Each structure stands twice: as C-alpha cells, then as structure tokens.
Amino acid sequence: MIDAKLVMFRSNGERRDFPLNSDLTCVGRKNDCDIRIPVTEVSRRHAEFRINDEEVSVKDLGSSNGTYVNNKRVKQSALSAGDHVVIGPVVFTLQIDGEPTELRPVKTKLKRHDSTGIQPEQDPLPGEAAIDDELDPISALEALASSADQTAIDPFDDDDL
C-alpha cells in the first residue's frame, strides 16, 4: 500500500499531517468522520479519500459547497502527489510516498457563486473563510494530527463544551 497523507498549513506556516491509513477516509462535520472539520461550510459527510492499488482519489459526497482539486470543483477525481484539495476553509496538499518533498502553504482562490448565480467580486481565500461554529477547525485538526489513531479520537469530546 502506498504511503499517502493530507498536509495542511496553519496561517503561521506550521505544518500538520493527516495520514490516509485505510482504504477509505471520510472528511466532514459529523463525529463519525475520520477527519472532522466542524464548520458550517463543511457538510456532515463532505468527501471521501480512497486508496485503490497505487492510486488515491477523492469523491464529493453531495456536499453543498463542493470539493475542489487544484481550484476546480469535482464530483470525483484521481489525485496525484502535490494536488491541492479544498474542503470548506481547509486546503490540503496530497503527499504520496514522500512526494513532493518540499511543501509550502497554498493560497487558493475559488470561484464560488452565491444563490443568485452572481460571482461576488471579492471571494475569501479558503484559509480565511468565516467560521460560524464555536469550535476552531484548525485546533480540531491539530488534535487529530497529534493522535496516534485518528479514527478512535474525537477531538471535541471535551467536558468544557
């Protein structure tokens, strides 16, 4: 099996890795997702990453705001090392078997349309999108990245909430 991981960067440039440890990894807002992004821009079950043989692919699961690969909205797409996948406010870069060796933060500008069909003049960058929920998705992803077993941890199972 190939060694695939999703890499994201915080606004301060700090890198976080999320290994794709199984054949299927679900990303979404629900507690049972493998990678949880708790913001309203992310659907409950937003997208899934699949590893088949030596290929990684992403499939949008009917999300409202879409899944983007290299700034293009996709329903399903095969991925290559270095591809950028945008889910809600988070930009992931796919690293496969250590490639690409050098990764940098990515600023991606998506062309989104509001319900009128008119494209706003100033779209926010995915990393700068407004967060409506009380929980910070970056903190949640950091907790998940530091966990040894990402499927067994709920980063929001906290008595303070």
Side-chain angles (χ1 to χ4, degrees):
M1 184 179 216
I2 61 175
D3 176 29
K5 64 180 87 172
L6 299 175
V7 179
M8 62 160 278
F9 290 90
R10 297 187 65 202
S11 57
N12 67 2
E14 185 178 346
R15 175 181 165 155
R16 295 291 183 198
D17 294 3
F18 301 91
L20 300 176
N21 291 329
S22 62
D23 294 342
L24 185 66
T25 302
C26 183
V27 178
R29 205 173 65 225
K30 278 184 79 172
N31 289 337
D32 64 350
C33 290
D34 301 304
I35 298 175
R36 185 167 181 241
I37 306 172
V39 295
T40 56
E41 297 163 4
V42 175
S43 295
R44 288 178 185 94
R45 294 181 55 81
H46 195 102
E48 64 185 19
F49 290 87
R50 186 177 297 271
I51 299 177
N52 290 336
D53 299 320
E54 296 298 310
E55 181 181 271
V56 180
S57 63
V58 65
K59 178 180 179 183
D60 185 84
L61 298 175
S63 68
S64 300
N65 292 320
T67 300
Y68 294 80
V69 175
N70 300 327
N71 292 335
K72 258 181 117 172
R73 189 171 182 161
V74 299
K75 289 185 180 184
Q76 187 165 342
S77 178
L79 300 173
S80 299
D83 281 348
H84 304 291
V85 180
V86 179
I87 297 175
V90 181
V91 179
F92 292 108
T93 302
L94 178 65
Q95 188 175 45
I96 300 174
D97 295 330
E99 294 294 328
T101 55
E102 287 189 35
L103 295 175
R104 297 183 191 154
V106 176
K107 291 192 179 194
T108 304
K109 181 156 175 110
L110 299 177
K111 296 188 183 273
R112 293 189 182 177
H113 300 271
D114 63 17
S115 60
T116 65
I118 299 169
Q119 181 178 331
E121 285 187 28
Q122 293 294 325
D123 289 338
L125 295 174
E128 298 172 350
I131 298 173
D132 296 329
D133 292 352
E134 291 180 27
L135 299 172
D136 174 20
I138 304 304
S139 297
L141 290 170
E142 287 175 348
L144 198 56
S146 65
S147 160
D149 179 5
Q150 75 184 64
T151 59
I153 283 287
D154 178 357
F156 304 103
D157 188 10
D158 188 356
D159 294 335
D160 297 333
L161 297 178

